[in-house]
Amino acid sequence: MSRHSEVQSQNPVNNEREDRPRVVVAGPGSSLTIPGIIVSEITQSLAQFAPVTRIQVDLDTDLMVSLHRAPSLAAAHDALRGADIVRHQAPMNARLRSQAFKNWIGPDVGTAVAYAWPGINNSWIWQFIQVAKAAGASAVVLCASLPKSSHANAVMLAEIMSQADFIIVGEASDAAELHAEYGTTGPVIDTHRALSLGGRSGNSSVQQITAFLPKDGSDSLATLLAAFDAIPEAGIEAFGLQVVMRYSGPEMPDLVASSYHAGHVQLIGDDISAKDLEKLCSTSSALSVVEPSFDSRAFSTAVACGIATVVVANSHLPEVGRGYVGGLLAERFRPASVHVALAHALRLEELGFPSPDAWDGLAQRINPTRHLELRSFVLRAPATHIG
């Protein structure tokens, strides 16, 4: 009999889920930030099989102040989803926040989940864990694994996560560092791909934008070129634009030639193989796709590459992008909107975004029944990697 099966057969708390079905998820809440968008996806996936309470904890409010952020494509889709989620905003004051956690983590809560993003203010997580455990809930911390070039990593948060029952990170290297930090008496540590945001270099001397436009889409091309021309001349040497579109006649080349930064624009009118398309995407810093259909080859390749992608659309919400946290929205006939979205996508160049199907897998990993089983085991044995 496997260790997991043995725990299932011996564990007297397996029946507790009926009495404590609710999951509480706490973490950044703003849809202007990648951490906030990710917490939303995790919450939506958990809500498919359990009642969920979401607590928005936004202590670094300066991260959200400015006009240089574009709407999230995933968040726009989430706004239309009908999941019944109870939402709260955590107080900024530490004492009031602790009391609020006590009010929101009640006797019906079996699992309390905190989302941590290294490099921002995560001090609230210690409070959250203490309140969850005092309430008899299983305390889980999901910690993002960021690109290797980042100075922020999971081990920086080892102390504030140390009292959790379970920690899930995105990379095996982060898991190994946490194991080394905790020794044999720390939390159970696991890994899941939904929490991995590495995999892209972002160190090229030129930030290459690749845009996919509809055939002979002169209006779309004019908007894109105006957005690109808004880059200050003093910094244009650091940028390049590749425009992929089929066209006939001289109109499209003439539009490119008449643009202010024409010397940094390449027009690609040939048919592109799947292999070449993947290479174009993987070697770009950011992508843009105009009015993609639900089976868009360009958008699906962008998702497979995990690259920040601006979807340019009219007033309607595109069919693509559900669950893809690397997607941004821009308005088709507003160059300023496209410029802002592309600028934000370029700031996300180093991040490799998870595929949309990763969230359901992570939600299953957080399944309250599984953690009730494992919690009993943790009380009887040293922490062990279960990934």
Side-chain angles (χ1 to χ4, degrees), residues 70-73 76 309-313 316-318 327-331 337 341:
S72 161
L73 182 56
T309 303
V310 175
V311 171
V312 182
H316 66 276
L317 185 63
L328 302 167
L329 271 174
E331 297 180 42
S337 173

Side-chain angles (χ1 to χ4, degrees), residues 102-184:
K102 292 176 184 177
N103 294 339
W104 298 330
I105 304 177
D108 62 334
V109 175
T111 305
V113 181
Y115 182 80
W117 181 281
I120 66 174
N121 188 343
N122 296 283
S123 59
W124 60 272
I125 292 177
W126 175 268
Q127 281 182 321
F128 182 80
I129 292 171
Q130 298 305 309
V131 171
K133 297 187 75 171
S138 177
V140 182
V141 178
L142 309 178
C143 186
S145 290
L146 302 181
K148 292 181 179 179
S149 59
S150 172
H151 296 297
N153 55 32
V155 77
M156 293 175 57
L157 307 179
E159 183 175 355
I160 67 170
M161 301 189 297
S162 62
Q163 297 302 306
D165 295 308
F166 313 98
I167 298 173
I168 307 179
V169 295
E171 296 291 339
S173 57
D174 281 338
E177 287 190 45
L178 288 172
H179 272 299
E181 184 75 16
Y182 293 134
T184 59

Side-chain angles (χ1 to χ4, degrees), residues 200-204 206-208 284-286 307-308 344-352:
R200 292 182 56 80
S201 63
N203 294 322
S204 58
V206 174
Q207 289 190 297
Q208 186 70 55
S284 297
S285 304
I307 186 172
H344 189 36
L346 290 172
R347 272 187 288 273
L348 305 175
E349 179 182 9
E350 285 192 346
L351 300 182

Side-chain angles (χ1 to χ4, degrees), residues 25-361:
V25 182
S30 173
S31 63
L32 293 176
T33 67
I34 296 300
I37 299 166
I38 288 175
V39 174
S40 179
E41 294 307 314
I42 294 169
T43 304
Q44 293 282 352
S45 292
L46 282 167
Q48 296 179 59
F49 66 84
V52 176
T53 296
R54 180 180 178 184
I55 302 174
Q56 299 182 180
V57 189
D58 294 306
L59 302 187
D60 286 334
T61 54
D62 57 308
L63 295 177
M64 297 172 282
V65 177
S66 65
L67 300 176
H68 61 247
R69 296 181 185 274
S72 161
L73 182 56
H77 281 293
D78 283 345
L80 301 179
R81 293 169 72 172
D84 185 15
I85 299 170
V86 178
R87 301 176 188 274
H88 300 289
Q89 181 70 50
M92 296 290 287
N93 177 274
R95 182 180 61 82
L96 296 178
R97 186 167 60 248
S98 180
Q99 184 57 52
F101 287 159
K102 292 176 184 177
N103 294 339
W104 298 330
I105 304 177
D108 62 334
V109 175
T111 305
V113 181
Y115 182 80
W117 181 281
I120 66 174
N121 188 343
N122 296 283
S123 59
W124 60 272
I125 292 177
W126 175 268
Q127 281 182 321
F128 182 80
I129 292 171
Q130 298 305 309
V131 171
K133 297 187 75 171
S138 177
V140 182
V141 178
L142 309 178
C143 186
S145 290
L146 302 181
K148 292 181 179 179
S149 59
S150 172
H151 296 297
N153 55 32
V155 77
M156 293 175 57
L157 307 179
E159 183 175 355
I160 67 170
M161 301 189 297
S162 62
Q163 297 302 306
D165 295 308
F166 313 98
I167 298 173
I168 307 179
V169 295
E171 296 291 339
S173 57
D174 281 338
E177 287 190 45
L178 288 172
H179 272 299
E181 184 75 16
Y182 293 134
T184 59
T185 58
V188 174
I189 301 172
D190 204 351
T191 59
H192 195 278
R193 62 192 176 103
L195 301 174
S196 176
L197 287 106
R200 292 182 56 80
S201 63
N203 294 322
S204 58
S205 58
V206 174
Q207 289 190 297
Q208 186 70 55
I209 301 166
T210 300
F212 298 90
L213 274 59
K215 182 180 179 181
D216 288 324
S218 58
D219 290 340
S220 297
L221 180 58
T223 299
L224 175 65
L225 292 173
F228 189 68
D229 283 345
I231 297 173
E233 187 173 7
I236 190 60
E237 294 299 327
F239 299 92
L241 173 63
Q242 296 177 132
V243 181
V244 181
M245 66 180 301
R246 292 193 297 172
Y247 62 90
S248 55
E251 182 181 4
M252 305 306 148
D254 288 347
L255 273 174
V256 171
S258 63
S259 66
Y260 190 72
H261 293 317
H264 299 272
V265 181
Q266 179 185 7
L267 183 60
I268 302 172
D270 302 326
D271 288 336
I272 297 178
S273 67
K275 183 177 180 180
D276 289 338
L277 177 60
E278 183 177 350
K279 184 178 180 181
L280 269 178
C281 291
S282 62
T283 56
S284 297
S285 304
L287 300 180
S288 178
V289 185
V290 175
E291 295 288 348
S293 61
F294 74 95
D295 59 350
S296 167
R297 201 163 55 109
F299 187 81
S300 61
T301 304
V303 172
C305 292
I307 186 172
T309 303
V310 175
V311 171
V312 182
N314 291 324
S315 56
H316 66 276
L317 185 63
E319 297 182 17
V320 301
R322 292 176 179 83
Y324 186 57
V325 297
L328 302 167
L329 271 174
E331 297 180 42
R332 185 170 182 176
F333 298 110
R334 290 190 60 207
S337 173
V338 176
H339 176 81
V340 168
L342 287 173
H344 189 36
L346 290 172
R347 272 187 288 273
L348 305 175
E349 179 182 9
E350 285 192 346
L351 300 182
F353 295 98
S355 61
D357 64 355
W359 308 119
D360 288 345

Side-chain angles (χ1 to χ4, degrees), residues 17-35:
R17 189 186 175 200
E18 293 182 3
D19 300 325
R20 310 192 67 152
R22 182 166 292 277
V23 181
V24 172
V25 182
S30 173
S31 63
L32 293 176
T33 67
I34 296 300

